[in-house]
Amino acid sequence: MRTAAMGPGSRTEALARMAERELDVLVVGGGVVGAGTALDAATRGLSTGLIEARDWASGTSSRSSKLIHGGLRYLEMLDFGLVREALKERGLLLERIAPHLVKPVPFLYPLQHRAWERLYAGTGVALYDTMALSSGHGRGLPRHRHLSRSRALRVAPALRKDALVGALQYYDGQVDDARFVATLVRTAVGYGALAANRARVGEFLREGERVVGVRVTDLERDGGTYEVRAKQVVNATGVWTDDTQAMIAERGQFHVRASKGIHLVVPKDRIHSATGLILRTEKSVLFVIPWGRHWIVGTTDTPWDLDKAHPAASSADIDYLLEHVNSVLAVPLTRDDVEGVYAGLRPLLAGESDATSKLSREHTVAHPVPGLVVVAGGKFTTYRVMAKDAVDAAVHGLDQRVADCCTEEVRLAGAEGYHALWNARARIAARAGLHEARIEHLLNRYGSLTEEVLELVTKDPALGEPLPAADDYLKAEIVYACSHEGARHLEDVLTRRTRISIETFDRGTRSARECAELMAGVLGWDAARIEREVEHYGRRVEAERQSQLQPDDQTADAARLEAPDTAPL
């Protein structure tokens, strides 16, 4: 596989090439499922297109808990099939598909009752580990262990002594979700897929009952339109599934409901612990997740029927998380400790229950009309299985022999050679003139593609400097996001290619101008365009801050929508 660079000209070229000839498969939706579907189709030898109305992973797939996990709470619901499937995928991602992006992360579960809870929870975690091993891909993580209260407090001194009588510690996986999706897209393009973000589907093309393609508007070039024809179109639009289905004026075979989950980001020094935490709440579970020099605290699980593009966290949401995490912390968190807040929507298959926490995380694939496949539901961890099922369904509509799915064996861009480079990180650091910690940071974000980032520094040593107001990131990473990863706007870089928007108290505003100036050289922006991008980003941050002061979803949504969707061109 060649490593594809998604530079500023590649998306325009991809759109033009999609319009030139009929594709075998066209995927609509650039989240993890859509990107995974494009990779699956391309690696079966099918001519494949992928289009996304906004940025890669701009919806649910950049706003998750950033965990790759089997789902302990689904085990408690006796959903053994879903847990077994997810644990197998977790192992594949850790060991083979993306070891540079997916990492082990420990969690401590405080026990509040003596013998019976240790037996009950311990049995569940033991079964979790056993199911992972039985999948054939569970050897990459340590097994769970039982801890006394004193040992648990040594591991997590932040806990109140009266908050536990003992604990269990187990391991799951963690990922930068938006980075993972961008890497999936690059991998698919490397195998021949054509991919274009900022390209919105306006309508489905029909010949009689059959869907034969879509009409696409290029949102980056003054509304130019393309007709893209395909033998099979896959709708992988997540929480927008019902809206997209409405375009074909057909009653869907299922419906997707949105459930809002919000997360807080706080500095690492606010919670003194060497492990993440998992806490039971009255509705679900709450995680405290290690995230570099930060912690992610989440999540909530509430119905959402307002704006899907920009779900808003209300003051009540934030208070809910703080109240629950503070119930076990010796030193409570306050609003002043919160660096970042983000809200995302889970696509849940609608069921009988009114409670979104009880709706299905299973996925469904349907063929509502000839030429159209719809895939919906599921969870981030099982994206590859969803993609396989979607392509299998599309293949039934193709009049040709098609190879079976092979993505269990396909490493994502940057995975090949990652371990060898990790072992040589000290030598790479010396050669590049950077601290070894910088190289570790790059390897865990780009894997073997780190060499491409370092080439930028070789050409311009100033790019080897960190951003002054977000010093976890090198200036080269901002340039690389535009030259190789398809970033088109300042928001793309600050919220998805990096996570500056949630990792700094200023939400990225202090870095905005410098990042825009770095992007300008790649994207050809003039001074006026730089100003528009910086102004738009500032308005976005202010709207989010205002929404987080509002008492409920309706007022928070109204406040968030005060900022326009994208910067004017």
Side-chain angles (χ1 to χ4, degrees):
M1 182 199 78
R2 67 181 179 87
T3 301
M6 298 192 301
S10 65
R11 62 173 296 284
T12 306
E13 180 186 353
L15 276 172
R17 289 178 61 192
M18 283 187 230
E20 285 175 359
R21 62 187 176 90
E22 184 183 48
L23 300 168
D24 291 324
V25 175
L26 174 67
V27 184
V28 180
V32 71
V33 176
T37 300
L39 176 60
D40 187 295
T43 53
R44 298 195 200 199
L46 298 171
S47 58
T48 305
L50 172 64
I51 51 178
E52 160 59 39
R54 297 163 69 217
D55 185 27
W56 309 121
S58 58
T60 301
S61 295
S62 61
R63 307 180 193 192
S64 72
S65 295
K66 314 197 188 315
L67 294 177
I68 298 294
H69 63 136
L72 266 177
R73 74 184 178 105
Y74 302 116
L75 194 60
E76 189 173 30
M77 296 174 185
L78 306 182
D79 198 343
F80 298 113
L82 178 61
V83 175
R84 184 180 295 108
E85 179 180 82
L87 287 172
K88 176 188 174 182
E89 294 304 309
R90 183 191 72 177
L92 283 169
L93 289 163
L94 280 162
E95 297 167 16
R96 182 187 302 158
I97 295 174
H100 57 315
L101 300 176
V102 181
K103 304 294 180 183
V105 60
F107 287 101
L108 192 79
Y109 175 64
L111 299 169
Q112 297 180 319
H113 307 280
R114 294 198 180 273
W116 74 265
E117 189 181 17
R118 187 179 289 278
L119 177 63
Y120 177 75
T123 300
V125 176
L127 179 59
Y128 195 66
D129 282 349
T130 301
M131 291 173 71
L133 286 169
S134 68
S135 74
H137 298 282
R139 302 188 185 281
L141 294 176
R143 287 181 60 79
H144 75 282
R145 59 177 181 155
H146 287 259
L147 301 177
S148 65
R149 178 162 64 179
S150 60
R151 288 186 66 194
L153 289 171
R154 284 199 294 271
V155 175
L159 293 174
R160 282 176 25 206
K161 290 182 180 179
D162 63 353
L164 71 165
V165 298
L168 295 167
Q169 189 176 46
Y170 74 99
Y171 283 77
D172 254 321
Q174 181 179 53
V175 69
D176 182 332
D177 46 9
R179 172 145 298 284
F180 186 91
V181 175
T183 306
L184 261 181
V185 176
R186 285 191 71 185
T187 308
V189 172
Y191 281 103
L194 300 170
N197 56 358
R198 307 288 178 185
R200 177 173 291 138
V201 172
E203 65 176 301
F204 287 93
L205 304 176
R206 307 286 289 269
E207 290 183 2
E209 186 185 14
R210 186 177 189 85
V211 170
V212 296
V214 297
R215 181 167 285 107
V216 180
T217 300
D218 182 353
L219 301 180
E220 292 291 300
R221 301 191 70 189
D222 297 324
T225 61
Y226 298 83
E227 284 194 359
V228 180
R229 294 185 172 266
K231 297 172 185 174
Q232 292 287 309
V233 177
V234 178
N235 175 5
T237 52
V239 294
W240 286 274
T241 297
D242 288 6
D243 304 81
T244 314
Q245 288 299 94
M247 292 185 189
I248 61 170
E250 295 284 342
R251 182 179 176 86
Q253 297 177 16
F254 54 84
H255 293 285
V256 174
R257 285 174 57 184
S259 168
K260 183 178 70 169
I262 83 140
H263 297 79
L264 311 179
V265 182
V266 300
K268 194 78 167 182
D269 63 6
R270 301 304 198 271
I271 301 175
H272 188 195
S273 178
T275 179
L277 304 173
I278 177 172
L279 311 173
R280 186 183 292 276
T281 70
E282 66 274 13
K283 295 180 181 178
S284 182
V285 294
L286 184 142
F287 289 101
V288 179
I289 307 163
W291 181 254
R293 296 199 292 174
H294 318 269
W295 297 98
I296 294 175
V297 180
T299 180
T300 58
D301 195 346
T302 55
W304 180 266
D305 58 5
L306 301 168
D307 182 66
K308 296 186 178 79
H310 304 289
S314 69
S315 180
D317 292 328
I318 295 169
D319 288 342
Y320 172 88
L321 289 183
L322 290 175
E323 177 186 346
H324 281 79
V325 74
N326 284 340
S327 69
V328 300
L329 294 180
V331 179
L333 297 175
T334 70
R335 291 270 184 136
D336 290 340
D337 295 317
V338 176
E339 293 174 289
V341 181
Y342 65 93
L345 300 177
R346 304 175 190 88
L348 304 180
L349 298 179
E352 298 295 326
S353 172
D354 288 333
T356 58
S357 59
K358 295 180 181 177
L359 293 182
S360 178
R361 295 308 301 273
E362 300 278 2
H363 69 272
T364 294
V365 176
H367 242 315
V369 296
L372 179 67
V373 172
V374 183
V375 55
K379 55 204 290 272
F380 196 106
T381 304
T382 56
Y383 82 90
R384 195 193 63 81
V385 180
M386 297 176 67
K388 173 186 178 300
D389 291 349
V391 178
D392 283 346
V395 164
H396 284 301
L398 296 177
D399 186 22
Q400 62 191 83
R401 187 174 181 83
V402 177
D404 291 336
C405 173
C406 64
T407 52
E408 273 196 28
E409 306 297 329
V410 175
R411 295 174 182 269
L412 298 193
E416 195 69 48
Y418 162 71
H419 291 297
L421 289 173
W422 181 262
N423 294 338
R425 61 193 184 279
R427 189 175 71 246
I428 296 170
R431 187 188 76 217
L434 297 172
H435 194 283
E436 188 174 331
R438 291 284 180 198
I439 300 301
E440 292 177 354
H441 161 88
L442 294 174
L443 287 170
N444 286 330
R445 284 171 53 75
Y446 307 96
S448 55
L449 301 181
T450 293
E451 297 289 354
E452 295 181 346
V453 181
L454 294 178
E455 285 174 12
L456 296 176
V457 177
T458 300
K459 293 175 182 176
D460 182 357
L463 296 180
E465 300 171 1
L467 291 169
D471 59 5
D472 281 349
Y473 299 94
L474 297 180
K475 294 177 182 179
E477 296 181 74
I478 309 305
V479 173
Y480 188 80
C482 302
S483 62
H484 288 71
E485 296 180 333
R488 301 289 303 173
H489 291 272
L490 180 58
E491 178 184 349
D492 301 345
V493 169
L494 293 175
T495 63
R496 287 175 288 276
R497 303 307 184 278
T498 71
R499 308 321 287 263
I500 294 170
S501 66
I502 59 171
E503 292 175 347
T504 58
F505 281 104
D506 62 85
R507 311 281 173 96
T509 55
R510 290 175 57 205
S511 300
R513 184 166 299 279
E514 182 164 16
C515 288
E517 289 170 352
L518 289 165
M519 296 171 69
V522 182
L523 299 177
W525 293 351
D526 59 17
R529 177 65 185 272
I530 291 172
E531 199 62 42
R532 290 195 297 273
E533 291 282 338
V534 172
E535 180 185 1
H536 171 265
Y537 186 77
R539 291 180 64 186
R540 171 189 180 275
V541 170
E542 181 57 28
E544 287 186 346
R545 287 189 186 277
Q546 289 301 313
S547 71
Q548 291 153 21
L549 298 175
Q550 305 307 311
D552 54 41
D553 284 351
Q554 287 72 24
T555 52
D557 178 66
R560 176 60 185 87
L561 292 179
E562 286 296 313
D565 191 34
T566 57
L569 300 179

